[in-house]
Short mmCIF file of all heavy atoms in Angstrom, two decimals:
data_model
loop_
_atom_site.label_atom_id
_atom_site.label_comp_id
_atom_site.label_asym_id
_atom_site.label_seq_id
_atom_site.Cartn_x
_atom_site.Cartn_y
_atom_site.Cartn_z
N ASN R 1018 10.09 112.90 -73.54
CA ASN R 1018 10.70 112.44 -74.75
C ASN R 1018 9.63 111.63 -75.64
O ASN R 1018 9.68 111.90 -76.91
CB ASN R 1018 11.85 111.57 -74.43
CG ASN R 1018 13.10 112.36 -74.06
OD1 ASN R 1018 13.19 113.43 -74.44
ND2 ASN R 1018 14.01 111.70 -73.21
N TYR R 1019 8.77 110.82 -75.09
CA TYR R 1019 7.73 110.27 -75.87
C TYR R 1019 6.91 111.36 -76.56
O TYR R 1019 6.57 111.24 -77.70
CB TYR R 1019 6.79 109.49 -74.91
CG TYR R 1019 7.39 108.20 -74.38
CD1 TYR R 1019 6.82 107.63 -73.18
CD2 TYR R 1019 8.39 107.64 -74.99
CE1 TYR R 1019 7.35 106.40 -72.66
CE2 TYR R 1019 8.98 106.36 -74.42
CZ TYR R 1019 8.34 105.78 -73.32
OH TYR R 1019 8.93 104.68 -72.82
N VAL R 1020 6.37 112.34 -75.75
CA VAL R 1020 5.52 113.41 -76.32
C VAL R 1020 6.33 114.17 -77.35
O VAL R 1020 5.87 114.57 -78.45
CB VAL R 1020 4.89 114.32 -75.22
CG1 VAL R 1020 4.21 115.51 -75.85
CG2 VAL R 1020 4.11 113.40 -74.22
N ARG R 1021 7.58 114.59 -77.03
CA ARG R 1021 8.43 115.39 -77.89
C ARG R 1021 8.58 114.73 -79.25
O ARG R 1021 8.56 115.37 -80.27
CB ARG R 1021 9.79 115.68 -77.16
CG ARG R 1021 10.71 116.51 -78.09
CD ARG R 1021 12.04 116.70 -77.23
NE ARG R 1021 12.07 117.67 -76.23
CZ ARG R 1021 12.74 117.69 -75.04
NH1 ARG R 1021 13.39 116.60 -74.73
NH2 ARG R 1021 12.62 118.61 -74.22
N ASN R 1022 8.86 113.41 -79.15
CA ASN R 1022 9.06 112.74 -80.56
C ASN R 1022 7.84 112.68 -81.37
O ASN R 1022 7.89 112.61 -82.57
CB ASN R 1022 9.44 111.20 -80.19
CG ASN R 1022 10.97 111.08 -79.75
OD1 ASN R 1022 11.71 111.95 -80.03
ND2 ASN R 1022 11.29 110.06 -79.00
N LYS R 1023 6.62 112.91 -80.78
CA LYS R 1023 5.44 112.74 -81.51
C LYS R 1023 5.11 114.27 -82.01
O LYS R 1023 4.49 114.33 -83.13
CB LYS R 1023 4.34 112.17 -80.66
CG LYS R 1023 4.49 110.73 -80.43
CD LYS R 1023 3.36 110.15 -79.63
CE LYS R 1023 3.47 108.57 -79.39
NZ LYS R 1023 2.33 108.06 -78.66
N ILE R 1024 5.39 115.31 -81.20
CA ILE R 1024 4.86 116.59 -81.69
C ILE R 1024 5.93 117.48 -82.35
O ILE R 1024 5.59 118.43 -82.90
CB ILE R 1024 4.10 117.31 -80.53
CG1 ILE R 1024 5.03 117.86 -79.54
CG2 ILE R 1024 2.95 116.53 -79.88
CD1 ILE R 1024 4.67 118.91 -78.60
N ASP R 1025 7.22 117.04 -82.05
CA ASP R 1025 8.26 117.92 -82.57
C ASP R 1025 9.19 117.25 -83.66
O ASP R 1025 9.76 118.07 -84.46
CB ASP R 1025 9.17 118.28 -81.29
CG ASP R 1025 8.68 119.58 -80.58
OD1 ASP R 1025 7.81 120.14 -81.10
OD2 ASP R 1025 9.09 119.74 -79.45
N LYS R 1026 9.29 116.04 -83.53
CA LYS R 1026 10.32 115.37 -84.35
C LYS R 1026 10.29 115.66 -85.86
O LYS R 1026 11.24 115.83 -86.45
CB LYS R 1026 10.32 113.84 -84.12
CG LYS R 1026 11.51 113.09 -84.75
CD LYS R 1026 11.46 111.60 -84.45
CE LYS R 1026 12.51 110.86 -85.15
NZ LYS R 1026 12.63 109.45 -84.77
N GLU R 1027 9.01 115.64 -86.47
CA GLU R 1027 8.85 115.76 -87.84
C GLU R 1027 8.71 117.34 -88.29
O GLU R 1027 8.36 117.69 -89.38
CB GLU R 1027 7.61 115.10 -88.39
CG GLU R 1027 7.72 113.60 -88.02
CD GLU R 1027 8.99 112.95 -88.73
OE1 GLU R 1027 9.28 113.37 -89.73
OE2 GLU R 1027 9.49 112.00 -88.03
N PHE R 1028 8.86 118.25 -87.30
CA PHE R 1028 8.53 119.68 -87.57
C PHE R 1028 9.89 120.53 -87.23
O PHE R 1028 10.65 120.24 -86.39
CB PHE R 1028 7.46 120.25 -86.58
CG PHE R 1028 6.18 119.39 -86.89
CD1 PHE R 1028 5.88 118.29 -86.19
CD2 PHE R 1028 5.15 119.99 -87.87
CE1 PHE R 1028 4.58 117.68 -86.46
CE2 PHE R 1028 4.09 119.40 -88.01
CZ PHE R 1028 3.77 118.27 -87.40
N ASP R 1029 10.01 121.55 -88.07
CA ASP R 1029 11.16 122.42 -88.06
C ASP R 1029 11.26 123.24 -86.76
O ASP R 1029 12.22 123.36 -86.09
CB ASP R 1029 11.21 123.34 -89.20
CG ASP R 1029 11.57 122.70 -90.44
OD1 ASP R 1029 12.21 121.61 -90.46
OD2 ASP R 1029 11.08 123.20 -91.57
N THR R 1030 10.05 123.71 -86.37
CA THR R 1030 9.88 124.48 -85.19
C THR R 1030 9.57 123.60 -83.95
O THR R 1030 8.62 123.00 -83.99
CB THR R 1030 8.77 125.51 -85.21
OG1 THR R 1030 9.09 126.50 -86.38
CG2 THR R 1030 8.72 126.37 -83.88
N LYS R 1031 10.40 123.62 -82.95
CA LYS R 1031 10.38 122.71 -81.93
C LYS R 1031 9.48 123.44 -80.72
O LYS R 1031 9.70 124.75 -80.53
CB LYS R 1031 11.68 122.22 -81.35
CG LYS R 1031 12.60 121.71 -82.32
CD LYS R 1031 11.99 120.55 -83.11
CE LYS R 1031 12.93 119.98 -84.16
NZ LYS R 1031 12.32 119.08 -85.03
N LEU R 1032 8.62 122.81 -79.99
CA LEU R 1032 7.83 123.34 -79.01
C LEU R 1032 8.12 123.00 -77.63
O LEU R 1032 8.09 123.77 -76.66
CB LEU R 1032 6.33 123.02 -79.26
CG LEU R 1032 5.77 123.58 -80.68
CD1 LEU R 1032 4.32 123.07 -80.65
CD2 LEU R 1032 5.84 125.09 -80.70
N ILE R 1033 8.60 121.87 -77.33
CA ILE R 1033 8.98 121.36 -76.01
C ILE R 1033 10.50 121.49 -75.85
O ILE R 1033 11.32 120.85 -76.54
CB ILE R 1033 8.47 119.98 -75.67
CG1 ILE R 1033 7.09 119.83 -75.85
CG2 ILE R 1033 8.95 119.53 -74.35
CD1 ILE R 1033 6.46 118.41 -75.58
N HIS R 1034 10.98 122.19 -74.80
CA HIS R 1034 12.39 122.42 -74.57
C HIS R 1034 12.73 122.09 -73.09
O HIS R 1034 11.95 122.29 -72.23
CB HIS R 1034 12.67 124.00 -74.85
CG HIS R 1034 12.39 124.35 -76.44
ND1 HIS R 1034 13.06 124.23 -77.43
CD2 HIS R 1034 11.13 124.99 -76.73
CE1 HIS R 1034 12.48 124.70 -78.53
NE2 HIS R 1034 11.31 125.05 -78.15
N THR R 1035 14.01 121.68 -73.05
CA THR R 1035 14.47 121.36 -71.70
C THR R 1035 15.23 122.58 -71.18
O THR R 1035 16.14 123.08 -71.89
CB THR R 1035 15.40 120.12 -71.68
OG1 THR R 1035 14.69 119.05 -72.27
CG2 THR R 1035 15.92 119.74 -70.29
#
Side-chain angles (χ1 to χ4, degrees):
N1018 285 331
Y1019 288 159
V1020 176
R1021 181 183 277 148
N1022 284 336
K1023 292 182 178 182
I1024 73 164
D1025 276 346
K1026 188 175 182 180
E1027 303 300 323
F1028 297 87
D1029 292 334
T1030 301
K1031 310 305 180 186
L1032 297 180
I1033 299 179
H1034 304 275
T1035 301

